[in-house]
Amino acid sequence: MTRLITLQTTDPCFNLAAEEFIFSRTKDDTVILWQNKNAVIIGRNQNTLTEINQDSVEKYGVSVVRRITGGGAVFHDLGNINYSVITSQGEENTLDFKRFASPIIDLLSSLGVKAEFSGRNDLLIDGMKFSGTAQHISDGRVLHHGTLLFSSDLERVGEVLTVNPEKIKSKAIQSVRSRVTNIKEHLPENADLTASEFIELIAKYFADNMECEVSCLSDSEITEIEKLADSKYRTWQWNYGNSPKYSFSRSAYLSCGTVDIELEIVDGKIEKAAVYGDFFSVRPKEEFVSYLIGVEHRNETLSLLFEKINIKEYFVGVEPDELIKCFF
C-alpha cells in the first residue's frame, strides 16, 4: 500500500529533506503533498545567482533552496501546491514524465478543467503553464514531483525570477520562462475553492485511485529529516556554492566614484577578481583584490572580510555596507 503524506510545515528546507529522506532511506511507495512559503527552488544543475533577482529575494524574505532533481527554477508561495510520487522505476531506466502527470490531468478533468501534457515536462491549460515537473532516478526508484499553480501571486513569480543577464554569465542552462496561469481561474464551479481545499481534493483522488493509505511521519523520521535539512538544505554550500563556474560583473556609482567589479567564481568561491574605476585610494587596489581570492561569493562572508580590513583605505569615503552592494 502506498503511503499518502501531507506535510504540515511550509519550511522548504524540511520539505525537500523529507522528500529526499523518503526517497533514499525508505522502501515505501509514497505520495507527498506539501507547500512552501515564499521560496525559490533551484534545479540540481543550475547556477543559483543566474536564476534569482537577489534584491527581490531579500525584499520579500524569500528562501532559496536547491533540490535534487534537474529542471528549472520555480517560485513557491502558499497559492502553489507541490506533489511528489516515489515508487519503483520499473523496467525502463528512463525519465517518464507523462506517466506521473496523468493523475493530475484526470483529476482536473473531473473538475471540469481540460489540461494537457506538453513538451518535455509541462502541464498546460489553454496553452498556459500551470505545472512543471522534474524527476530523479536512483537504485531502481524514481522520484517524480511537480508544482501546481492554484492561486499563486504570478507577479511575484516574475519579479523574483527576473535576473539581469549582463551581471552574471554562466554556462549553466537557465530556466525557460513560460506564460503561466492559475488553476483556480479555470474552475467552472469552484471559484471559491481554497488552496487547502484543493489539497484535500488531491489527497482524496490519490487515495481513491492509487490505493493510497493516509500516513504521517514518525517521530524518528522527523528527527532524521531535521538532521538532513540542517546538514544539507539549510547550508549555503548546497544552495549557492554548488553552482557551476560563472563570471560576475557590476558597475556602480558610489560615494567614492565609479567602481567596476569583475569576478570569476568556482565552487562558490572567488578564483579571480579585478577592480576598476575612478575612485581614490591610499593603498593599492591589488592588495584589496588579493583579500578576495578564495573567499565565498556570499554576502555574509564578504561583509565579515570588509569589517576586518579598512575599506576606506582602498575606496576613500566608502562604508563597507555600500561597497558590498557591488558584489551582488
Side-chain angles (χ1 to χ4, degrees), residues 104-161:
I104 300 301
I105 292 174
D106 293 343
L107 167 62
L108 291 175
S109 178
S110 72
L111 297 174
V113 178
K114 184 179 179 180
E116 61 179 341
F117 186 82
S118 176
R120 181 181 61 164
N121 61 334
D122 294 339
L123 293 178
L124 309 181
I125 299 174
D126 292 341
M128 294 179 287
K129 180 177 175 178
F130 71 91
S131 176
T133 59
Q135 291 185 3
H136 180 65
I137 296 174
S138 179
D139 296 329
R141 279 162 66 79
V142 58
L143 160 64
H144 171 99
H145 58 192
T147 57
L148 296 170
L149 293 174
F150 182 77
S151 57
S152 287
D153 184 341
L154 300 184
E155 289 187 6
R156 182 72 54 85
V157 173
E159 184 176 349
V160 170
L161 296 179

Side-chain angles (χ1 to χ4, degrees), residues 139-194:
D139 296 329
R141 279 162 66 79
V142 58
L143 160 64
H144 171 99
H145 58 192
T147 57
L148 296 170
L149 293 174
F150 182 77
S151 57
S152 287
D153 184 341
L154 300 184
E155 289 187 6
R156 182 72 54 85
V157 173
E159 184 176 349
V160 170
L161 296 179
T162 298
V163 188
N164 180 356
E166 297 303 316
K167 187 188 295 185
I168 303 174
K169 299 183 185 299
S170 171
K171 293 183 179 180
I173 301 300
Q174 289 185 252
S175 301
V176 177
R177 308 301 174 203
S178 306
R179 278 188 74 201
V180 293
T181 189
N182 279 313
I183 294 170
K184 187 172 182 178
E185 296 176 15
H186 303 274
L187 292 173
E189 298 176 358
N190 297 280
D192 294 330
L193 196 68
T194 66

Side-chain angles (χ1 to χ4, degrees), residues 299-326:
N299 193 305
E300 294 85 349
T301 306
L302 287 169
S303 293
L304 287 174
L305 171 64
F306 293 172
E307 288 176 3
K308 291 180 180 179
I309 62 179
N310 188 349
I311 289 299
K312 291 182 178 180
E313 291 186 329
Y314 304 101
F315 305 89
V316 174
V318 169
E319 298 292 338
D321 60 349
E322 183 182 9
L323 181 64
I324 198 72
K325 297 176 182 178
C326 292

Side-chain angles (χ1 to χ4, degrees), residues 1-6 28-33 83-87 100 103 200-216:
M1 182 70 72
T2 300
R3 296 176 73 185
L4 174 59
I5 300 172
T6 301
D28 301 322
D29 285 357
T30 307
V31 173
I32 311 170
L33 301 177
Y83 72 97
S84 308
V85 180
I86 298 170
T87 187
F100 296 98
E200 293 176 2
L201 285 178
I202 299 172
K204 186 177 187 306
Y205 183 87
F206 275 106
D208 292 344
N209 295 276
M210 297 184 64
E211 297 183 353
C212 293
E213 183 176 25
V214 175
S215 178
C216 296

